[in-house]
Amino acid sequence: GQNIDQPTEMTATEGAIVQINCTYQTSGFNGLFWYQQHAGEAPTFLSYNVLDGLEEKGRFSSFLSRSKGYSYLLLKELQMKDSASYLCAVRDEGNGVDYKLSFGAGTTVTVRA
Amino acid sequence: NAGVTQTPKFRILKIGQSMTLQCAQDMNHNYMYWYRQDPGMGLKLIYYSVGAGITDKGEVPNGYNVSRSTTEDFPLRLELAAPSQTSVYFCASSYRGRVNQPQHFGDGTRLSIL
Protein backbone atom coordinates (compact mmCIF):
# COMPACT_ATOMS: atom_id res chain seq x y z
CA GLY A 1 0.00 0.00 0.00
CA GLN A 2 0.90 3.66 0.06
CA ASN A 3 2.12 5.81 2.93
CA ILE A 4 0.24 9.12 2.76
CA ASP A 5 0.90 11.76 5.39
CA GLN A 6 -0.88 15.02 6.05
CA PRO A 7 -1.23 17.16 9.19
CA THR A 8 -4.13 16.33 11.47
CA GLU A 9 -5.40 19.84 12.15
CA MET A 10 -4.90 23.43 11.03
CA THR A 11 -6.53 26.65 12.18
CA ALA A 12 -6.66 29.92 10.27
CA THR A 13 -8.49 33.23 10.29
CA GLU A 14 -11.23 34.25 7.87
CA GLY A 15 -9.69 35.94 4.83
CA ALA A 16 -6.28 34.36 5.35
CA ILE A 17 -4.42 31.68 3.37
CA VAL A 18 -3.80 28.10 4.49
CA GLN A 19 -1.53 25.50 2.89
CA ILE A 20 -2.19 21.80 3.52
CA ASN A 21 0.76 19.55 2.76
CA CYS A 22 0.62 15.92 1.68
CA THR A 23 3.56 13.56 1.25
CA TYR A 24 3.30 10.11 -0.26
CA GLN A 25 5.29 7.04 -1.26
CA THR A 26 4.20 4.94 -4.23
CA SER A 27 5.71 2.46 -6.67
CA GLY A 28 3.78 3.67 -9.72
CA PHE A 29 2.33 7.14 -9.20
CA ASN A 30 -0.51 8.02 -11.53
CA GLY A 31 -2.31 11.00 -10.08
CA LEU A 32 -3.21 12.78 -6.87
CA PHE A 33 -6.66 13.97 -5.85
CA TRP A 34 -7.82 16.40 -3.19
CA TYR A 35 -11.28 16.04 -1.68
CA GLN A 36 -13.22 18.25 0.73
CA GLN A 37 -15.39 16.65 3.39
CA HIS A 38 -17.67 18.66 5.65
CA ALA A 39 -18.56 17.07 8.97
CA GLY A 40 -21.20 14.39 8.53
CA GLU A 41 -21.14 14.62 4.76
CA ALA A 42 -19.61 12.80 1.80
CA PRO A 43 -16.23 13.74 0.31
CA THR A 44 -16.47 15.97 -2.75
CA PHE A 45 -13.83 16.31 -5.46
CA LEU A 46 -11.67 19.46 -5.43
CA SER A 47 -8.67 18.95 -7.68
CA TYR A 48 -6.48 16.55 -9.62
CA ASN A 49 -2.73 16.67 -10.36
CA VAL A 50 -0.72 14.21 -12.41
CA LEU A 51 2.04 16.47 -13.79
CA ASP A 52 4.39 18.67 -11.78
CA GLY A 53 3.19 22.18 -11.17
CA LEU A 54 0.31 24.24 -9.96
CA GLU A 55 -3.37 23.80 -10.86
CA GLU A 56 -5.58 26.75 -9.96
CA LYS A 57 -9.34 26.67 -9.50
CA GLY A 58 -10.66 29.92 -8.12
CA ARG A 59 -9.70 30.25 -4.46
CA PHE A 60 -8.23 26.75 -4.38
CA SER A 61 -4.90 25.69 -5.92
CA SER A 62 -3.08 22.38 -5.82
CA PHE A 63 0.61 21.76 -6.41
CA LEU A 64 2.49 18.57 -7.21
CA SER A 65 6.16 17.56 -7.19
CA ARG A 66 6.47 13.94 -8.29
CA SER A 67 10.21 13.74 -7.62
CA LYS A 68 9.63 14.78 -3.99
CA GLY A 69 6.43 12.79 -3.48
CA TYR A 70 4.80 16.00 -2.33
CA SER A 71 1.62 17.95 -2.92
CA TYR A 72 -0.11 20.85 -1.27
CA LEU A 73 -3.58 22.34 -1.37
CA LEU A 74 -3.71 26.12 -1.02
CA LEU A 75 -6.89 27.75 0.19
CA LYS A 76 -7.00 31.51 -0.31
CA GLU A 77 -9.38 34.18 1.04
CA LEU A 78 -10.65 31.72 3.61
CA GLN A 79 -14.37 31.70 4.36
CA MET A 80 -16.20 30.15 7.28
CA LYS A 81 -17.71 27.56 4.94
CA ASP A 82 -14.17 26.28 4.19
CA SER A 83 -14.08 24.69 7.65
CA ALA A 84 -13.90 21.00 6.71
CA SER A 85 -11.59 18.02 6.42
CA TYR A 86 -9.35 17.90 3.35
CA LEU A 87 -8.35 14.48 2.07
CA CYS A 88 -5.30 13.72 -0.05
CA ALA A 89 -5.66 10.59 -2.22
CA VAL A 90 -3.11 8.93 -4.48
CA ARG A 91 -3.60 6.60 -7.42
CA ASP A 92 -0.84 4.02 -7.77
CA GLU A 93 -0.44 1.82 -10.85
CA GLY A 94 2.46 -0.09 -9.32
CA ASN A 95 0.40 -3.25 -9.09
CA GLY A 96 -1.17 -2.82 -12.51
CA VAL A 97 -4.44 -1.54 -11.12
CA ASP A 98 -5.30 1.98 -12.17
CA TYR A 99 -8.62 2.57 -10.53
CA LYS A 100 -7.97 2.36 -6.79
CA LEU A 101 -7.15 5.31 -4.57
CA SER A 102 -5.35 5.36 -1.24
CA PHE A 103 -6.47 8.12 1.11
CA GLY A 104 -4.63 10.04 3.78
CA ALA A 105 -6.30 10.47 7.17
CA GLY A 106 -7.38 14.02 6.31
CA THR A 107 -6.57 17.49 7.62
CA THR A 108 -9.27 19.25 9.62
CA VAL A 109 -9.22 22.97 8.85
CA THR A 110 -10.99 25.31 11.24
CA VAL A 111 -11.64 28.87 10.05
CA ARG A 112 -12.09 31.43 12.82
CA ALA A 113 -13.76 34.83 12.51
CA ASN B 1 -29.66 13.53 -11.39
CA ALA B 2 -29.28 11.46 -8.21
CA GLY B 3 -25.60 10.42 -8.57
CA VAL B 4 -24.73 7.81 -5.94
CA THR B 5 -27.56 6.81 -3.59
CA GLN B 6 -26.99 4.90 -0.36
CA THR B 7 -29.61 3.38 1.91
CA PRO B 8 -30.16 3.34 4.81
CA LYS B 9 -28.59 6.54 6.17
CA PHE B 10 -28.47 5.25 9.74
CA ARG B 11 -28.76 1.82 11.29
CA ILE B 12 -28.22 0.20 14.67
CA LEU B 13 -27.51 -3.53 14.72
CA LYS B 14 -27.05 -6.05 17.48
CA ILE B 15 -23.93 -8.20 17.55
CA GLY B 16 -24.37 -11.20 15.27
CA GLN B 17 -27.11 -9.70 13.12
CA SER B 18 -26.71 -9.35 9.39
CA MET B 19 -27.70 -6.61 6.98
CA THR B 20 -27.16 -5.28 3.48
CA LEU B 21 -26.10 -1.73 2.72
CA GLN B 22 -27.51 -0.64 -0.61
CA CYS B 23 -25.71 1.47 -3.20
CA ALA B 24 -26.97 2.57 -6.60
CA GLN B 25 -25.55 4.96 -9.18
CA ASP B 26 -27.23 6.41 -12.25
CA MET B 27 -24.15 7.79 -14.02
CA ASN B 28 -23.37 4.60 -15.97
CA HIS B 29 -20.03 4.32 -14.17
CA ASN B 30 -17.99 1.16 -14.64
CA TYR B 31 -16.20 1.25 -11.32
CA MET B 32 -17.79 1.08 -7.90
CA TYR B 33 -16.22 1.02 -4.44
CA TRP B 34 -17.07 0.51 -0.79
CA TYR B 35 -15.10 2.35 1.91
CA ARG B 36 -15.33 2.61 5.64
CA GLN B 37 -14.29 5.70 7.55
CA ASP B 38 -13.46 5.58 11.25
CA PRO B 39 -12.89 8.72 13.36
CA GLY B 40 -9.48 10.27 12.67
CA MET B 41 -8.74 7.70 9.99
CA GLY B 42 -8.68 7.86 6.24
CA LEU B 43 -11.08 6.06 3.97
CA LYS B 44 -10.26 2.35 3.86
CA LEU B 45 -11.24 0.35 0.79
CA ILE B 46 -13.36 -2.71 1.58
CA TYR B 47 -14.29 -4.05 -1.86
CA TYR B 48 -14.42 -2.73 -5.39
CA SER B 49 -15.87 -3.70 -8.75
CA VAL B 50 -14.75 -2.87 -12.28
CA GLY B 51 -17.99 -3.98 -13.89
CA ALA B 52 -21.03 -6.21 -13.57
CA GLY B 53 -20.06 -9.68 -12.36
CA ILE B 54 -16.53 -8.64 -11.31
CA THR B 55 -15.55 -7.85 -7.72
CA ASP B 56 -12.31 -7.86 -5.77
CA LYS B 57 -11.06 -7.32 -2.23
CA GLY B 58 -9.64 -4.05 -0.98
CA GLU B 59 -7.60 -3.37 2.14
CA VAL B 60 -10.14 -4.46 4.78
CA PRO B 61 -12.53 -7.08 3.32
CA ASN B 62 -12.89 -9.41 6.32
CA GLY B 63 -16.45 -9.65 7.57
CA TYR B 64 -17.98 -8.27 4.38
CA ASN B 65 -19.25 -9.55 1.05
CA VAL B 66 -20.36 -7.85 -2.15
CA SER B 67 -22.03 -8.63 -5.44
CA ARG B 68 -22.42 -6.71 -8.69
CA SER B 69 -25.20 -8.18 -10.80
CA THR B 70 -25.91 -4.91 -12.63
CA THR B 71 -23.90 -1.84 -13.60
CA GLU B 72 -26.04 0.32 -11.33
CA ASP B 73 -26.07 -1.59 -8.04
CA PHE B 74 -23.31 -2.64 -5.64
CA PRO B 75 -24.66 -3.89 -2.30
CA LEU B 76 -22.42 -4.58 0.70
CA ARG B 77 -23.34 -7.44 3.01
CA LEU B 78 -22.41 -7.82 6.69
CA GLU B 79 -23.05 -11.42 7.74
CA LEU B 80 -22.24 -11.47 11.47
CA ALA B 81 -22.07 -7.93 12.75
CA ALA B 82 -19.27 -7.18 15.22
CA PRO B 83 -18.59 -4.01 17.26
CA SER B 84 -15.43 -3.43 15.19
CA GLN B 85 -17.68 -2.82 12.18
CA THR B 86 -19.18 0.29 13.75
CA SER B 87 -18.25 2.93 11.20
CA VAL B 88 -19.45 5.23 8.45
CA TYR B 89 -19.67 3.42 5.13
CA PHE B 90 -19.32 5.25 1.84
CA CYS B 91 -20.07 3.92 -1.61
CA ALA B 92 -18.39 5.59 -4.59
CA SER B 93 -18.31 5.24 -8.35
CA SER B 94 -16.12 6.45 -11.17
CA TYR B 95 -15.95 6.33 -14.93
CA ARG B 96 -13.25 4.38 -16.69
CA GLY B 97 -11.86 6.52 -19.43
CA ARG B 98 -9.82 9.61 -18.78
CA VAL B 99 -7.32 9.17 -15.96
CA ASN B 100 -8.49 12.32 -14.20
CA GLN B 101 -11.97 11.00 -13.51
CA PRO B 102 -12.70 11.46 -9.79
CA GLN B 103 -14.69 9.12 -7.60
CA HIS B 104 -18.20 10.33 -6.73
CA PHE B 105 -19.40 9.48 -3.25
CA GLY B 106 -22.79 8.73 -1.76
CA ASP B 107 -23.92 10.41 1.47
CA GLY B 108 -22.86 7.46 3.60
CA THR B 109 -24.46 4.96 5.97
CA ARG B 110 -23.78 5.42 9.67
CA LEU B 111 -23.75 1.99 11.26
CA SER B 112 -23.56 1.23 14.98
CA ILE B 113 -23.21 -2.30 16.31
CA LEU B 114 -24.10 -2.78 19.95
Side-chain angles (χ1 to χ4, degrees), chain A residues 30 33 35 37 39-45 48 50 87 91 93 97-106, chain B residues 31 33 35 37 40-43 45 48 50 57-59 90 96 99-107 110:
Chain A
N30 192 27
F33 294 79
Y35 284 82
Q37 185 178 23
E41 297 183 8
T44 55
F45 169 70
Y48 170 78
V50 68
L87 310 177
R91 180 161 55 205
E93 285 192 349
V97 173
D98 67 348
Y99 31 77
K100 292 196 292 184
L101 295 180
S102 293
F103 285 82
Chain B
Y31 301 159
Y33 314 82
Y35 294 92
Q37 187 176 39
M41 306 289 286
L43 292 160
L45 183 65
Y48 64 97
V50 300
K57 297 178 180 179
E59 299 175 74
F90 287 102
R96 184 181 188 185
V99 294
N100 64 344
Q101 292 298 305
Q103 293 183 13
H104 299 265
F105 287 82
D107 288 337
R110 284 146 187 82

Side-chain angles (χ1 to χ4, degrees), chain B residues 18-47:
Chain B
S18 60
M19 78 163 292
T20 299
L21 281 65
Q22 301 292 343
C23 175
Q25 53 90 11
D26 63 358
M27 298 174 282
N28 202 30
H29 284 171
N30 316 76
Y31 301 159
M32 296 188 74
Y33 314 82
W34 273 106
Y35 294 92
R36 60 177 288 172
Q37 187 176 39
D38 300 315
M41 306 289 286
L43 292 160
K44 300 296 184 185
L45 183 65
I46 305 171
Y47 270 94

Side-chain angles (χ1 to χ4, degrees), chain A residues 29-32 48-52 55 64 66 91, chain B residues 99-100:
Chain A
F29 177 83
N30 192 27
L32 186 146
Y48 170 78
N49 295 73
V50 68
L51 299 176
D52 290 351
E55 295 283 342
L64 176 68
R66 290 172 296 171
R91 180 161 55 205
Chain B
V99 294
N100 64 344

Side-chain angles (χ1 to χ4, degrees), chain B residues 13-17 78 80-86 89 112-114:
Chain B
L13 282 182
K14 294 182 179 179
I15 295 171
Q17 286 185 318
L78 282 71
L80 289 171
S84 61
Q85 293 177 306
T86 293
Y89 291 84
S112 294
I113 304 187
L114 306 174

